[in-house]
Amino acid sequence: MEELEKMENLSTNLLITSIPFVEADLGLFTTVIMTGDEVTQDVSTIMQLEEAKESINILDEFPDKEIIFKSSKYEFIDTSEDKRKTPSLYIIKQDYNEISLLNIIVSPISELNITKTSEVIDYIAQSTAGVFRRTDTLRNNDSLSEEEQQDELRKNLRDLVEFYQWQILSEESLQKSTEQGVQAPMITNSLLLKAEIIRDQVQCMGGCGKTFSKETAPAGVQCECGGEIVITPPSLNLAKVSYVYPEGLKEIINNENAITPESLLMYTKESIMSPKLLTSLNQLSSLKFHDFISIPSMIGYKSKLTNDLINVHLNYFLSSEDEIYIFTCTTDTRYSDQRLVSAVSLPVIMRAFQSNFQGENNWKEVIQRSELKDWITTPFVKIKTLNQFSSLSDILALEIRSDSNE
Amino acid sequence: MSDEIKESQSFFYSPKDVVDVVSEFQKLFSKLESNIKHFIVSQPTFLIELRRKIKTEIGFLSPQKKDMALAIFGIIVTEDIIKKYDPIFFAEDISALMDATDKKTSCTDDEFIGLLTSFLNTLKTVTHSITIIINNFISLKSLNLEDRITRQILIQRHFSTALTEANLCFEVGEFKIDLRFIISIFAHIIEKLLEENEVIEKAKSAGMIYEGIIKTYPLKEGEDILYDIININIIESYYDLISQAFESKIQKRLEVAHEQQVEIQREFQRSSEQQTDQGRIEQILASIEQALYEVMKIQREMTEAKRQNLEKNIEKVMRRLAIEEFGVQDIADQQKYMQYVLDTWFSIFEEYPQMCLPLIDVKQYTKFVSDPVEYIEENKQTIIQQLQFKIRRHTTGERFTPGNLANAFSHIIYEITTNSSVLTLTFDK
Ligand SMILES: [Zn+2]
C-alpha cells in the first residue's frame, strides 16, 4: 500500500542523449529528474540504463528501413488483482541530425499527449545540437576544454529536462487533449500472443549482467564478477502467436518482406520491455515496480519518408498468475483498401476482446463475433519455430493439414 | 496550477503576421528611397553638422553611401522613426550591419536602402517585443515560479519567437543576416531599459555589442542555435539585471496578486453560505454527475484524466461542505462525513445499479441481476461494509480530509467504471 502510494506520487523523467563525439564513450548523457523523491546516483544503475538504451535501438532494424520507432506506452499490472496501476510508463525516441534521444517517463499522468510531447523532445534534441555545435567549435579552436564542453552539455540538458517535467506536471500542458489523426488509419492485422510471466529472477548489476533465479542467487549478495545482485521485475516471455488478417493482405501491402510472420510480430515483440531496462528502472529510486508486470498498451512507429503512422494498440487477458494473452491491432495510415477495417472500429474491437475473450479456446469465436469477422485467423504457432514459416499462408496450411489428419 | 494562470497570456509571445512585416518593409523602403534625394538638397546644414559628428565612424562607406546614410539618419530624426537615436550609435550600427550581411565590400544603392529598411524595422519590432516580454516577465515573476523555469519560458516561448520575428524583417528584404547581430539588437534594447532604470550606467549600441559577441560566440546561423544563442547572450547576460531593474514592479504585482487571492476566498465563503440549504448529498452528486453520465450512458471510456478531474471536483465540494459546517476547510465530525459519502453512493446506485456489482459476492450475481433494486435494499448492510472497507483502504486508515475522501471516492468510481462486467450490464428503465 505504501509502495503504491509512493508510485502514484512519483514522476520520473529520464533522458538518455547520445551525441556523436569522436570519443564514443563520452557521448552518452543521462539526465534524470525525479519529482517526489531522491534520484539515485548509483553509477552501475546509470550504466545499465545506458546499455538498455542500446537495446531499444534494435527497433530501428526493421526489414522496412524507412519505418522507425517513435513511442510506446506501458501499463503496470498487478497480477494478484488484475488491475492496471498508476503510474504509466512512456518511452519516446527522437533523432535530430546525429543526436539521438531516448526519453523514459514514469508518471501518474496516464494520458500524456504523445504528439505534443514528441515536439518538446524534438526541441530538446535541436537545442542540444546547437549547444554541441557551439561548444565543439570552441573546442576546436582551443577556447574550451573537453571537460568544460561536457559540463555545458550536461547543464543544458538538465535545464531543458526540468522545464519539460514542469510542463508535464505543473503546467499540465502535455496531457492528452485531442491527438492529431488527420488521416483515418486502417487496421491491417491483429495478433494474439500468449506469454509466460517470468518471476523470481535476479540480475547482476555489475559487468557480467547475468540473470539468475532467485534461489541460486539471493538478492543483496555479490555476483562472481563483483556486481550487486538485485531483483528483476516480472518479465514476459512470448510463447505462441495467432495471426488475424484480411484476405488479399499480400496485394494490399505489396511487400512480401513486410508481411512475413516474423516481421508482423516484430512491431510488438521489440516493444516488450527488456528485463534489463526494467531492472535498471526499478533500481533508479525507491520507485519499485517489481511486483507488477508491464505490458505495452500502445506502440507508435513512423515512416521516415512520408510521416505515415503505424500504431499497435494492445489489450491483455490474464489467464493465470503466470500466463497472459496479449491482443494487438495494428493501424496504418499508408493503406486505404476496402478489405481492411477502419480504425474507427478499434474501441469496439478492443471492448469486445475484453468482455468476451476467455482463453485460447474461444479465440476464433471472439474474432468471428467482432468487426474482424471476415478475416482469416491462423492457428497458434510457437514463436521459437516462427522462422520456419515464410508466409502467413504457411501457418494456415498447418491447420488444413491437421484437419485432414483427423 | 490554477486555470487562470494557465490561460494567462504571459506564457507566450505572439509575433506579427508575415503579411504585416512585408508591408512594413515596402512602406519604409519607398519612403526612404523617395526622400533621400530631397533631403540631401533641402537640408545641407543638417548634413554637414552630422557628417562632422560621425566622420570617422562611417569612414568605411563610399562617398555616395555616406550621403545616403546621412540623409537616412536625417529622415529618421525628422520623421521620428526611431526615438532618441544617437548618431554615433547609428554609425556603429551601420558598420556592424554591413559586416553581418557581408555587404561591406560590395553593395548596390538599392541593397543599401533595403538593408537600412530591414534594420530600422527590426529595431522597431524588437523595441515592441521587448516591451511585451518584459511585461510578461514581471507577470511570470509574480507567479512565484522558480527562476530556472521562468528562464526557460523566456527562451522557448518568448525570445525564440521574437528572434524569428526579427529575422523575418531581414528575410522579407531577401537578406541573410548573422543571427548574432539580431541578438545584439535585442541586447541593445534591453541595455537601454536597464539604463533608464539606472541598473547600468550606459547602454551600448547594437553595433558595439555585436563586435563583442562575435569574439565569444562562434556560430551565426542555423535553427539549432536559437536556444543556445539566446541562453548565452540574453538570459545569462541580462536575466539578473532585468530582475533587479523591475524589482519594485514585481513586488507590487505580487501584492496585487495576493490581495486578489484573499478577495477570491472571501467571495467563495460568501457564496457557499448561500448554498447551505441545498442538500449536501446533491452537491457531491452534482460534482460527479457529468462523468458518470459519459461513462455509463454514452460509453465514453473512463480515463485517469477524468478520475483526476473528478477528484478535484469532489474535493472542492467537500471543502465547501466543511467550511459550511465547521467554519474550517477540514472535517471535524468524521462519522458524519462517512455518512454523507455512503448516502451519495446509494443515490448513485439508484441511477446505476450495475455499479454495485463489484461490491457483491460473485455467487449472488444471478440474484442481483434479476432484481438489482430489491437486492440492494436487502443487502444494504453488506454493501455498506464493502464501501467502508474500500474507502478506508484508499484513505489508508487516516482521519478523513476533503483531499483523501475525494481521492478515495474518485478511485472507487474509477475502479467500478473500468470494470468490464459493470460496463456490459444495463438496467434501462
Ligand atoms: Zn556479475
Side-chain angles (χ1 to χ4, degrees):
Chain A
M1 196 66 226
E2 207 176 287
E3 282 296 311
L4 189 63
E5 198 135 293
K6 219 172 206 171
M7 280 179 79
E8 290 187 352
N9 293 324
L10 279 181
S11 199
T12 308
N13 197 329
L14 172 87
L15 186 75
I16 304 175
T17 312
S18 78
I19 300 176
F21 272 95
V22 186
E23 308 85 346
D25 56 327
L26 294 175
L28 270 188
F29 295 84
T30 302
T31 318
V32 189
I33 308 277
M34 195 173 276
T35 310
D37 200 5
E38 286 294 308
V39 178
T40 181
Q41 297 300 329
D42 177 27
V43 181
S44 62
T45 303
I46 299 289
M47 275 171 61
Q48 286 278 338
L49 279 170
E50 288 171 355
E51 266 182 52
K53 180 193 185 269
E54 296 311 307
S55 71
I56 285 175
N57 281 340
I58 295 171
L59 290 169
D60 285 350
E61 319 258 305
F62 276 101
D64 199 350
K65 285 280 181 209
E66 67 125 346
I67 303 297
I68 50 167
F69 170 73
K70 228 180 88 202
S71 66
S72 50
K73 179 186 172 185
Y74 298 80
E75 266 163 313
F76 292 106
I77 292 157
D78 181 343
T79 50
S80 61
E81 289 182 75
D82 190 9
K83 285 241 167 66
R84 288 162 208 248
K85 293 289 174 195
T86 21
S88 304
L89 189 145
Y90 299 83
I91 296 184
I92 301 162
K93 193 170 169 289
Q94 193 89 33
D95 295 318
Y96 185 90
N97 297 341
E98 305 271 86
I99 293 185
S100 113
L101 260 64
L102 182 78
N103 181 219
I104 300 176
I105 294 181
V106 185
S107 170
I109 312 290
S110 67
E111 301 215 43
L112 210 57
N113 183 316
I114 298 293
T115 314
K116 284 196 210 163
T117 305
S118 303
E119 281 167 18
V120 172
I121 300 187
D122 189 41
Y123 183 87
I124 296 177
Q126 178 187 311
S127 305
T128 307
V131 177
F132 175 63
R133 196 152 68 88
R134 171 184 50 89
T135 50
D136 224 36
T137 314
L138 291 177
R139 237 187 82 190
N140 286 336
N141 56 36
D142 291 322
S143 1
L144 203 70
S145 74
E146 194 178 287
E147 214 182 330
E148 285 168 320
Q149 179 181 25
Q150 298 263 327
D151 283 349
E152 277 214 50
L153 284 162
R154 206 165 284 125
K155 184 192 170 298
N156 278 289
L157 277 164
R158 183 155 196 93
D159 289 348
L160 288 160
V161 177
E162 272 185 355
F163 183 56
Y164 171 30
Q165 177 84 335
W166 178 83
Q167 287 172 275
I168 298 176
L169 291 181
S170 302
E171 193 187 40
E172 299 173 14
S173 59
L174 301 180
Q175 297 185 24
K176 190 129 185 169
S177 46
T178 40
E179 207 137 335
Q180 58 3 74
V182 194
Q183 289 161 279
M186 300 299 269
I187 303 174
T188 54
N189 67 85
S190 165
L191 308 178
L192 183 70
L193 289 154
K194 186 179 178 181
E196 298 167 62
I197 301 169
I198 317 241
R199 292 171 200 276
D200 298 328
Q201 297 270 86
V202 290
Q203 195 202 314
C204 164
M205 293 297 280
C208 83
K210 276 185 200 146
T211 335
F212 311 91
S213 83
K214 218 187 216 165
E215 287 84 58
T216 52
V221 305
Q222 270 196 351
C223 171
E224 288 174 329
C225 78
E228 193 200 345
I229 290 189
V230 300
I231 299 178
T232 326
S235 59
L236 298 181
N237 183 24
L238 299 183
K240 295 206 273 184
V241 59
S242 160
Y243 295 83
V244 183
Y245 60 96
E247 192 112 33
L249 185 66
K250 220 170 166 181
E251 291 89 66
I252 301 166
I253 292 189
N254 197 19
N255 174 358
E256 296 227 8
N257 286 334
I259 55 163
T260 66
E262 276 188 312
S263 11
L264 286 177
L265 179 65
M266 207 161 181
Y267 287 91
T268 306
K269 191 178 155 194
E270 300 300 342
S271 270
I272 302 288
M273 262 218 266
S274 80
K276 203 174 225 174
L277 182 59
L278 275 171
T279 310
S280 331
L281 287 172
N282 196 42
Q283 283 305 109
L284 205 55
S285 70
S286 54
L287 173 85
K288 296 286 181 208
F289 25 87
H290 51 242
D291 291 334
F292 307 137
I293 58 165
S294 51
I295 65 154
S297 58
M298 163 88 172
I299 314 163
Y301 298 91
K302 180 175 107 170
S303 152
K304 270 195 281 194
L305 302 174
T306 59
N307 279 328
D308 272 299
L309 301 175
I310 297 104
N311 288 329
V312 184
H313 305 259
L314 306 96
N315 211 328
Y316 74 91
F317 176 81
L318 201 62
S319 46
S320 78
E321 281 271 296
D322 322 297
E323 223 180 53
I324 190 168
Y325 287 93
I326 298 173
F327 173 62
T328 77
C329 280
T330 305
T331 62
D332 198 319
T333 58
R334 292 176 295 178
Y335 310 107
S336 58
D337 195 282
Q338 286 308 307
R339 286 167 284 185
L340 302 172
V341 170
S342 162
V344 176
S345 305
L346 202 56
V348 187
I349 295 171
M350 284 295 169
R351 191 169 274 197
F353 171 80
Q354 199 162 1
S355 23
N356 304 332
F357 184 76
Q358 285 154 7
E360 229 164 289
N361 296 336
N362 83 334
W363 161 236
K364 283 199 175 175
E365 190 191 318
V366 170
I367 290 298
Q368 274 152 22
R369 281 169 53 191
S370 79
E371 311 276 315
L372 303 177
K373 58 178 173 294
D374 298 329
W375 287 14
I376 299 163
T377 310
T378 74
F380 283 88
V381 273
K382 288 213 178 80
I383 288 176
K384 264 190 234 150
T385 64
L386 214 54
N387 55 8
Q388 297 166 13
F389 302 91
S390 57
S391 73
L392 290 169
S393 39
D394 286 356
I395 299 180
L396 209 56
L398 265 184
E399 189 170 53
I400 296 161
R401 217 178 305 147
S402 73
D403 280 352
S404 59
N405 282 348
E406 272 168 28
Chain B
M1 187 177 305
S2 81
D3 291 342
E4 47 201 303
I5 294 174
K6 269 192 266 175
E7 281 156 23
S8 100
Q9 291 296 308
S10 51
F11 278 86
F12 293 91
Y13 171 72
S14 7
K16 271 187 235 174
D17 202 272
V18 190
V19 183
D20 294 334
V21 179
V22 172
S23 86
E24 276 165 20
F25 180 85
Q26 287 163 344
K27 234 194 265 166
L28 186 61
F29 184 89
S30 57
K31 180 189 256 172
L32 294 182
E33 194 187 33
S34 56
N35 288 3
I36 288 174
K37 286 226 171 68
H38 175 75
F39 199 91
I40 293 174
V41 179
S42 63
Q43 303 279 349
T45 23
F46 177 92
L47 290 176
I48 291 166
E49 188 80 357
L50 183 63
R51 188 185 295 262
R52 194 180 303 136
K53 257 190 237 166
I54 56 175
K55 200 172 170 190
T56 39
E57 284 80 4
I58 55 168
F60 67 94
L61 288 174
S62 68
Q64 191 185 344
K65 297 262 169 29
K66 260 184 205 139
D67 286 343
M68 287 170 75
L70 294 170
I72 287 173
F73 189 76
I75 300 166
I76 294 171
V77 172
T78 47
E79 303 257 337
D80 211 14
I81 293 171
I82 306 289
K83 293 199 165 52
K84 289 191 252 169
Y85 199 6
D86 183 331
I88 303 279
F89 277 21
F90 176 66
E92 287 170 356
D93 288 349
I94 294 184
S95 171
L97 173 68
M98 307 294 278
D99 278 333
T101 46
D102 272 335
K103 295 285 178 202
K104 217 159 205 171
T105 43
S106 88
C107 180
T108 66
D109 287 358
D110 253 14
E111 277 176 333
F112 189 68
I113 298 171
L115 268 181
L116 277 157
T117 305
S118 286
F119 170 65
L120 293 173
N121 277 340
T122 308
L123 211 51
K124 286 204 299 197
T125 304
V126 174
T127 309
H128 171 78
S129 59
I130 291 284
T131 315
I132 291 169
I133 293 172
I134 297 286
N135 199 19
N136 288 352
F137 166 73
I138 296 168
S139 308
L140 288 171
K141 284 291 267 186
S142 71
L143 295 176
N144 273 326
L145 295 176
E146 286 171 79
D147 274 325
R148 58 204 171 112
I149 298 299
T150 308
R151 282 167 180 250
Q152 292 295 322
I153 294 176
L154 287 181
I155 300 172
Q156 301 192 18
R157 299 176 177 180
H158 290 83
F159 282 109
S160 290
T161 325
L163 186 67
T164 311
E165 177 192 51
N167 189 46
L168 191 61
C169 296
F170 283 94
E171 278 178 358
V172 299
E174 286 169 25
F175 300 112
K176 189 155 178 41
I177 186 151
D178 184 340
L179 281 179
R180 293 171 297 186
F181 183 65
I182 299 188
I183 283 286
S184 307
I185 299 176
F186 277 86
H188 160 72
I189 303 287
I190 292 172
E191 287 197 3
K192 274 198 352 193
L193 276 170
L194 296 175
E195 184 191 322
E196 273 170 36
N197 286 279
E198 296 170 354
V199 175
I200 61 170
E201 210 165 301
K202 178 107 184 64
K204 290 196 285 286
S205 71
M208 197 57 111
I209 294 171
Y210 178 70
E211 292 305 318
I213 289 183
I214 54 175
K215 290 195 187 88
T216 57
Y217 197 91
L219 306 176
K220 61 174 180 180
E221 63 192 336
E223 195 186 26
D224 59 339
I225 65 164
L226 277 186
Y227 165 85
D228 190 55
I229 201 173
I230 295 166
N231 187 26
I232 301 271
N233 300 297
I234 306 277
I235 301 298
E236 284 186 7
S237 312
Y238 298 108
Y239 185 88
D240 291 337
L241 291 171
I242 298 172
S243 307
Q244 202 184 320
F246 297 96
E247 182 60 34
S248 64
K249 274 198 179 156
I250 294 165
Q251 279 309 324
K252 212 175 278 166
R253 199 77 67 91
L254 273 170
E255 279 160 31
V256 172
H258 179 72
E259 273 166 31
Q260 278 171 350
Q261 196 58 40
V262 172
E263 185 51 38
I264 289 168
Q265 265 165 12
R266 249 186 245 132
E267 193 69 31
F268 180 63
Q269 295 203 359
R270 238 177 273 139
S271 74
S272 54
E273 275 158 27
Q274 289 162 4
Q275 287 180 14
T276 33
D277 42 344
Q278 196 192 327
R280 302 199 159 83
I281 295 148
E282 273 79 20
Q283 287 189 46
I284 308 177
L285 270 178
S287 67
I288 55 182
E289 220 163 39
Q290 176 71 20
L292 282 185
Y293 179 81
E294 283 180 9
V295 178
M296 302 300 297
K297 287 266 160 108
I298 52 176
Q299 267 107 47
R300 290 262 172 80
E301 204 178 350
M302 185 67 186
T303 60
E304 173 60 18
K306 278 189 193 145
R307 189 203 61 74
Q308 286 175 8
N309 201 25
L310 266 180
E311 182 176 337
K312 271 184 221 155
N313 291 343
I314 300 170
E315 188 178 347
K316 248 186 242 166
V317 177
M318 291 283 180
R319 253 184 231 294
R320 198 163 60 211
L321 293 178
I323 292 174
E324 269 174 37
E325 206 150 2
F326 315 112
V328 284
Q329 295 195 6
D330 203 357
I331 293 164
D333 187 341
Q334 298 275 301
Q335 206 41 50
K336 213 168 178 182
Y337 268 75
M338 182 55 112
Q339 198 53 51
Y340 289 154
V341 172
L342 291 174
D343 288 349
T344 310
W345 273 105
F346 280 93
S347 306
I348 294 175
F349 297 148
E350 275 173 32
E351 185 70 31
Y352 307 106
Q354 64 269 44
M355 286 182 67
C356 204
L357 203 63
L359 301 169
I360 61 177
D361 193 340
V362 190
K363 287 175 221 135
Q364 308 277 325
Y365 274 17
T366 8
K367 213 170 152 200
F368 171 78
V369 174
S370 64
D371 191 348
V373 180
E374 193 186 280
Y375 184 90
I376 294 173
E377 193 56 48
E378 280 173 10
N379 295 281
K380 202 166 177 182
Q381 276 318 309
T382 331
I383 296 170
I384 287 178
Q385 274 172 11
Q386 283 298 317
L387 271 171
Q388 278 179 328
F389 173 75
K390 277 190 188 291
I391 294 163
R392 296 231 180 261
R393 193 171 56 120
H394 280 289
T395 50
T396 54
E398 284 169 22
R399 66 183 297 279
F400 297 146
T401 62
N404 69 16
L405 270 184
N407 179 282
F409 211 116
S410 66
H411 271 105
I412 299 170
I413 290 187
Y414 183 91
E415 248 170 60
I416 295 180
T417 54
T418 49
N419 181 315
S420 55
S421 319
V422 170
L423 295 175
T424 45
L425 271 184
T426 42
F427 299 102
D428 275 332
K429 295 167 199 164

